[in-house]
């Protein structure tokens, strides 16, 4: 038996760091590859000592072609290795050898013989080593990582998700925004130079024409600057719905069942007249809200019927019944949108992305149910009338019989014709035949809980519970729904929509007290069921306690494809409002707005800033405002009255007690050190108490007409009174206290509604908005009187709101200048010289480039921008001018302004959904733009004729006048097209007005500038 083969010789060296690295001559390892061995600090490449080490015979460290050793050979080798000693190793290294794993358990820097790489897998296997601790790997034998209390830690302690923000800002790319700002500066300089040149070079031949043009152009430049400055910092935002779900609705040790920790939400729907606002439209809005994706037990819905109509009441009762099947159907099949009228009208495949096998059967059945629901709603007016007539006739016969038995005569005019409910009782609201205590301005307050508050725990459907649909595993609960009609009595100022909204604020505070309020017009519905959650991300995020409201953009349906009258208003909603979001926040525009209830109560934000300096460049933290009447003398002289704390809420202690609760529930979670003014997680998991009779009675008392007497409602608290545009004023007051707002643009439209496509209705709508702006300008809500908490550019934006209607005066004059130029044969400048044309070209080109960049960062289409420009001229020359006149009459003469409620009903032509577009309803607002069109057309003919038959034709002046006349006519084209109606059926009154204006202008000009006799005789000779 041969003796065992001598083990290979290994070489090792001690490095400068104290490690011992093994090397082998047999493996031909180039020691020059190791930088640490060849460094001068280690003594050069030969600075090592040799000793004997055995490499275990595994496949990883054997050279190619090596044969497998027998077990006996391996055992002998191990014994040989054990008996060998590194005799030539220095004595000082013996202690280090015992510590090094290289000698005992091969915890050395092992090298693969083939590649020279460190064999980490083998090292882990032989040494039972680990990667350490963390959320990627955790050894079960890991020790020494206990917490302070001695409790062993494990990998589960590392698996919690890190804190994530719920929202983030997305800045506009600098490649778009920087040129945009530069062009604004260039155009501003160009306007300044142009106006300076115009003033220094008057037209001596027509000073009156030159003077009018200079005044108008200076005002236009000022108006453009007011509109442009707030657009310098547009931003985009994004919300993280998954983070919201993880933070508020995920199971945790403190919330094992994963109940929702989101705050309560009260949704308001406002309506006033069932004839102009059809009950079916309101019912669809209600159904979309009841089916939205928000915790059922945290959601409450209120409708304000300011007309107190039984038709609206019974329509809402029918909608509540239909919601029992519609809402579970939407949850089961993830229906979008959840407005049944819109859902069933969508063109396309309804089965797209639907996976449940019973979807087609369920959809077919629910569609039939909805059709029957619509028939019942449409038949309600006739049903109420027949029921009331039947009961009134019976009562009339009874009274006549009783009078006949007494020998008395009955006066038919004194017989009361009441409106009766289905249960045979008098309707406490408005009757069809108005009578004392039962008219639109004189009726009792009504509060009816149509759907009671749901149970705190989910209520799932069971098999066979419904005869036609299977709701197994589907939560069939419905949110609480309350019908409210505030009390009205003669002699009280009920303050229109603002007063109705404040009544809802008080009633909802008593019944549900949601920390947030979302308000809708009756024709606006939820198009995206997750939109409310997206808005809640901003309120619940870090710093969300400083946000007073979340404004969603308004999107409209049923508008003609060409958008003739700019009804979509995308330039405002996607341009101006997005830009304001980069300042202090967008304005409140009336509907689709998520409010913080505490901010509506008139309180200041928890942290606010004040801005000082010429343009607000100095920023400092705002000081606290003293509360109570004791601090009146301590207030600084420059203290703004809007910063005072509200004190007079009314005599309801239940309401005042609810204020602190709403403020606490609206705070974000205190789950991060950076979150200030937060609440602990799990604080809102407690179910709210059920409603009882005293609570409902208190809610009825706070909607009485006398409750606001000697209070601050409408002055500092709630929706602000005194303007037909109460929405803008309410938002301005909040910003003036230092609150911020956020503009929430969702990927899928959040809400949708209807807009008037008829020219008359559209102009009356614009008239109402402009009238409110004039009222703002002449009131204490003028931005010039704002507090130092309003940012400079935000102040400019609000100042523009009050000033823009006055541009109509200069716009009408400027639209007449081309005609006056053509009539007189003069132009606004002495001649069309090169300087004027260069300035004109520069101003026009910069405007075009600015428009293109604005289209780029706002996402609007170029055609939409042009439609907005056209309607700005149409509305500015008609509705805005009338608004200025009405505002001046109210301020000077005290004449109250009345506005027409915008109709939400469609035309009678059911075959054409755009039938309203062609309906022409004459209004006095048509007169100014019609006059401008006719005068410019007549002027073009007169100017062309004069130039052609003139001895010395002034073609440059003619071309200048015709160019500007066509500029005016191009902007007026949608108005002229609207007057023509469908297929050119223009009303006779249009021809009468056009002819009358044309004849009057011609005779007037002949009287002002009669023909020259000498010139006419010279031409005859």
């Amino acid at each position: 038996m041969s003796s065992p083969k001598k083990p290979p010789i290994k070489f090792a060296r001690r490095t400068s760091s104290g490690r011992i690295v093994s090397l082998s001559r047999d493996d031909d390892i180039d020691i020059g590859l190791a930088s640490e061995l060849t460094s001068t600090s280690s003594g050069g490449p030969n600075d090592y000592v040799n000793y004997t080490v055995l490499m275990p015979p595994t496949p990883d460290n054997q050279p190619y072609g090596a044969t497998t050793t027998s077990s006996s050979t391996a055992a002998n080798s191990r014994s040989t290795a054990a008996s060998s000693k590194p005799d030539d190793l220095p004595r000082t290294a013996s202690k280090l050898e015992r510590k090094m794993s290289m000698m005992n358990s091969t915890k050395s820097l092992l090298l693969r013989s083939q590649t020279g790489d460190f064999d980490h897998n083998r090292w882990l296997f032989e040494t039972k080593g680990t990667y350490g601790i963390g959320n990627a790997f955790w050894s079960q034998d890991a020790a020494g990582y206990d917490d302070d209390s001695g409790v062993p830690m494990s990998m589960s302690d590392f698996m919690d998700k890190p804190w994530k923000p719920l929202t983030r800002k997305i800045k506009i790319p600098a490649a778009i925004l920087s040129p945009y700002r530069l062009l604004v500066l260039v155009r501003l300089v160009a306007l300044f130079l142009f106006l300076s040149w115009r003033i220094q070079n008057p037209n001596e031949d027509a000073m009156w024409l030159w003077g009018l043009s200079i005044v108008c152009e200076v005002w236009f430049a000022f108006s453009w600057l007011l509109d442009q400055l707030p657009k310098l910092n547009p931003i985009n935002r994004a919300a993280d719905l998954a983070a919201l779900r993880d933070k508020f609705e995920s199971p945790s040790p403190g919330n094992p069942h994963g109940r929702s920790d989101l705050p309560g939400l009260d949704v308001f729907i406002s309506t006033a007249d069932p004839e102009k606002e059809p009950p079916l439209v309101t019912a669809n809005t209600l159904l979309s809200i009841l089916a939205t994706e928000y915790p059922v037990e945290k959601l409450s819905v209120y409708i304000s019927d300011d007309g107190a109509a039984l038709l609206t009441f019974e329509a809402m009762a029918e909608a509540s019944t239909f919601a029992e099947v519609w809402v579970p159907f939407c949850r089961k099949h993830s229906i979008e949108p959840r407005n049944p009228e819109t859902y069933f009208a969508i063109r396309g495949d309804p089965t797209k992305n639907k996976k449940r096998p019973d979807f087609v059967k369920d959809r077919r059945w629910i569609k039939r149910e909805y059709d029957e629901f619509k028939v019942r709603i449409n038949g309600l007016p006739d049903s109420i009338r027949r029921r009331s007539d039947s009961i009134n006739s019976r009562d009339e016969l009874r009274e006549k019989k009783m009078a006949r038995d007494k020998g008395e005569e009955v006066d038919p005019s004194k017989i009361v014709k009441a409106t009766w409910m289905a249960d045979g009782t008098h309707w406490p609201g408005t009757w069809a035949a108005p009578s004392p205590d039962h008219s639109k301005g004189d009726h009792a307050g009504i509060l009816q809980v149509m759907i009671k508050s749901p149970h705190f725990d989910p209520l799932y459907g069971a098999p066979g519970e419904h005869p036609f649909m299977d709701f197994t595993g589907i939560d069939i609960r419905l949110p609480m729904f309350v019908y409210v009609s505030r009390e009205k009595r003669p002699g009280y100022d009920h303050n229109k929509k603002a007063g109705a909204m404040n009544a809802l604020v008080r009633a909802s505070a008593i019944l549900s007290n949601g920390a947030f309020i979302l308000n809708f017009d009756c024709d606006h519905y939820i198009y995206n069921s997750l939109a409310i959650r997206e808005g809640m991300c901003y309120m619940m995020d870090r710093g969300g306690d400083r946000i007073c409201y979340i404004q969603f953009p308004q999107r409209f349906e049923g508008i003609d494809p060409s958008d003739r009258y700019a009804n979509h208003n995308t330039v405002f909603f996607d341009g101006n409002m997005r830009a304001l979001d980069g300042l202090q926040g967008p304005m409140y525009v009336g509907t689709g707005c998520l409010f913080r209830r505490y901010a509506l109560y008139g309180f200041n934000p928890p942290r606010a800033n004040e801005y000082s300096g010429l343009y607000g460049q100095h920023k400092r933290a705002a000081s606290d405002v003293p509360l109570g009447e004791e601090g009146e003398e301590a207030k600084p002289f420059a203290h703004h009255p809007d910063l005072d704390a509200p004190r007079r809420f009314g005599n309801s202690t239940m309401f005042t007690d609810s204020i602190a609760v709403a403020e606490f529930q609206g705070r974000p979670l205190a789950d991060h050190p950076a979150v200030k003014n937060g609440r602990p997680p799990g604080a809102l998991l407690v179910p709210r108490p059920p409603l009882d009779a005293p609570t409902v009675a208190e809610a009825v008392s706070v909607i009485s007409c006398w409750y606001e007497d000697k209070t601050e409602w409408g002055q500092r608290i709630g929706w602000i009174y005194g303007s037909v545009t109460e929405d803008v004023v309410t938002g301005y007051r909040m910003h003036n206290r230092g609150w911020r707002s956020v503009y929430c643009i969702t990927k899928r439209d959040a809400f949708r509604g209807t807009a008037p496509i008829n020219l008359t209705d559209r102009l009356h709508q614009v008239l109402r908005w402009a009238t409110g702006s004039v009222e703002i300008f002449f009131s204490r809500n003028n931005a010039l009187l704002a507090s130092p908490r309003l940012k400079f550019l935000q102040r400019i934006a609000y100042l523009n709101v009050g000033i823009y209607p006055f541009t109509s005066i200069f716009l009408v004059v400027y639209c007449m200048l081309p005609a006056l130029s053509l009539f007189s044969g003069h132009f606004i400048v002495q001649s069309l010289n090169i300087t004027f044309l260069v300035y004109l070209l520069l101003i026009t080109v910069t405007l075009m480039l600015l428009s293109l960049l604005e289209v780029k960062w706002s996402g609007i289409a170029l055609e939409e921008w042009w439609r907005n420009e056209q309607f700005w001229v149409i509305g500015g020359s008609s509705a805005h001018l009338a608004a200025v006149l009405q505002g001046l009459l109210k301020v000077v003469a005290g004449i109250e302004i009345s506005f027409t409620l915008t109709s939400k009903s469609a035309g009678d032509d059911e075959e054409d959904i755009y039938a309203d577009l062609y309906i022409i309803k004459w209004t006095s607002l048509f007169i100014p733009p019609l006059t401008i069109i006719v005068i410019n057309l007549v002027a073009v003919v007169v100017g062309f004729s004069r130039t052609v038959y003139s001895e010395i034709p002034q073609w440059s002046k003619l071309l200048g006048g015709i160019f500007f006349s066509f500029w005016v006519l191009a902007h007026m084209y949608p108005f002229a097209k609207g007057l023509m109606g469908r297929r050119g059926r223009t009303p006779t009154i249009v021809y009468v007005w056009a002819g009358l204006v044309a004849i009057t202008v011609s005779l007037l000009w002949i009287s002002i500038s009669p023909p020259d006799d000498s010139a006419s005789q010279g031409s005859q000779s």
Side-chain angles (χ1 to χ4, degrees), residues 25-43:
R25 286 181 176 175
D26 295 343
D27 293 334
D28 296 330
I29 298 177
D30 186 6
I31 61 174
L33 296 177
S35 61
E36 193 175 21
L37 299 179
T38 59
S39 63
T40 57
S41 61
S42 61

Side-chain angles (χ1 to χ4, degrees), residues 628-647:
E629 297 182 359
E630 300 84 4
E632 293 292 333
E633 297 180 357
K635 294 177 183 177
F637 178 75
H639 174 74
H640 197 280
D642 281 353
L643 304 181
D644 292 336
R647 292 187 292 268

Side-chain angles (χ1 to χ4, degrees), residues 299-317:
L299 181 64
S300 302
V301 187
Y302 298 81
I303 183 170
S304 170
D305 179 17
D306 223 27
L310 179 59
L311 175 59
T312 304
F313 180 86
E314 295 200 353
M316 296 303 102

Side-chain angles (χ1 to χ4, degrees), residues 306 486 492-500 708 713 721-722 726:
D306 223 27
R486 57 178 173 149
Y492 286 89
D493 186 1
H494 301 106
N495 297 296
K496 302 182 176 67
K497 180 183 176 180
E708 294 185 357
W713 284 97
Y721 301 154
E726 71 288 331

Side-chain angles (χ1 to χ4, degrees), residues 835-1016:
T835 305
F836 175 78
L837 295 177
V838 168
Y839 276 126
L840 186 63
L841 179 63
L842 179 60
I843 293 172
T844 304
V845 170
T846 52
L847 177 62
M848 294 170 58
L849 293 177
L850 278 173
S851 302
L852 292 175
L853 289 175
E854 188 170 331
V855 164
K856 190 73 175 177
W857 62 254
S858 64
I860 62 177
L862 195 59
E863 183 180 2
E864 293 173 332
W865 178 86
W866 170 239
R867 289 295 185 212
N868 182 80
E869 291 295 310
Q870 287 179 311
F871 196 78
W872 176 76
V873 176
I874 296 171
S877 60
S878 57
H880 295 177
L881 183 63
V884 173
L885 296 177
Q886 288 187 3
L888 293 175
L889 286 175
K890 181 179 181 180
V891 173
V892 176
I895 300 177
E896 188 64 29
I897 301 171
S898 61
F899 67 93
T900 304
L901 184 66
T902 305
S903 176
K904 275 77 176 179
S905 59
D908 297 332
D909 190 355
E910 297 182 356
E911 297 181 357
D912 188 358
I913 60 176
Y914 306 122
D916 281 354
L917 182 66
Y918 309 106
I919 299 176
I920 301 176
K921 296 175 284 188
W922 178 257
T923 174
S924 58
L925 297 177
F926 288 174
I927 297 177
L930 181 60
T931 303
I932 291 173
I933 292 175
V934 173
I935 290 179
N936 276 275
L937 288 175
V938 173
V940 169
V941 175
V942 172
F944 182 78
S945 302
R946 175 189 290 106
T947 304
V948 169
Y949 293 103
S950 176
E951 294 180 356
I952 305 177
Q954 300 290 331
W955 293 105
S956 62
K957 296 181 179 180
L958 174 66
L959 291 177
I962 290 180
F963 173 80
F964 283 104
S965 288
F966 275 107
W967 177 87
V968 173
L969 295 175
H971 283 77
M972 289 291 183
Y973 173 74
F975 176 83
K977 192 175 182 180
L979 290 182
M980 296 177 186
R982 189 200 299 266
R983 292 182 293 274
R985 293 183 298 183
T986 307
T988 307
I989 186 64
V990 176
Y991 294 110
V992 172
W993 266 102
L996 182 61
V997 171
I999 295 173
T1000 303
V1001 171
S1002 300
L1003 294 176
L1004 181 61
W1005 187 255
I1006 292 174
S1007 301
I1008 296 175
S1009 180
D1012 191 356
D1013 294 337
S1014 60
S1016 61

Side-chain angles (χ1 to χ4, degrees), residues 576-589:
N576 297 66
M577 296 286 276
R578 193 193 303 263
L580 289 176
D581 198 18
L583 304 178
Q584 202 167 336
M587 303 175 186
Y588 168 42
V589 292

Side-chain angles (χ1 to χ4, degrees), residues 788-860:
R789 296 188 180 185
L790 196 66
K791 286 187 175 181
F792 174 74
L793 292 182
Q794 191 81 17
R795 187 189 302 259
I796 295 296
Y798 275 113
L799 183 63
N800 188 38
V801 169
I803 286 180
Y804 82 89
F806 295 94
T807 305
S808 60
I809 301 174
F810 305 92
L811 181 62
V812 170
V813 173
Y814 207 72
C815 288
M816 290 292 190
L817 288 182
L820 297 176
S821 176
L822 291 171
F823 281 135
S824 63
H826 300 287
F827 196 51
I828 58 177
V829 293
Q830 188 77 28
S831 62
L832 295 178
N833 56 21
I834 189 63
T835 305
F836 175 78
L837 295 177
V838 168
Y839 276 126
L840 186 63
L841 179 63
L842 179 60
I843 293 172
T844 304
V845 170
T846 52
L847 177 62
M848 294 170 58
L849 293 177
L850 278 173
S851 302
L852 292 175
L853 289 175
E854 188 170 331
V855 164
K856 190 73 175 177
W857 62 254
S858 64
I860 62 177

Side-chain angles (χ1 to χ4, degrees), residues 717-738:
I717 306 171
W719 270 259
I720 305 302
Y721 301 154
S723 175
V724 296
T725 52
E726 71 288 331
D727 45 7
V728 177
V729 177
T730 302
Y732 164 76
R733 289 289 188 88
M734 294 183 183
H735 284 144
N736 205 29
R737 297 187 193 105

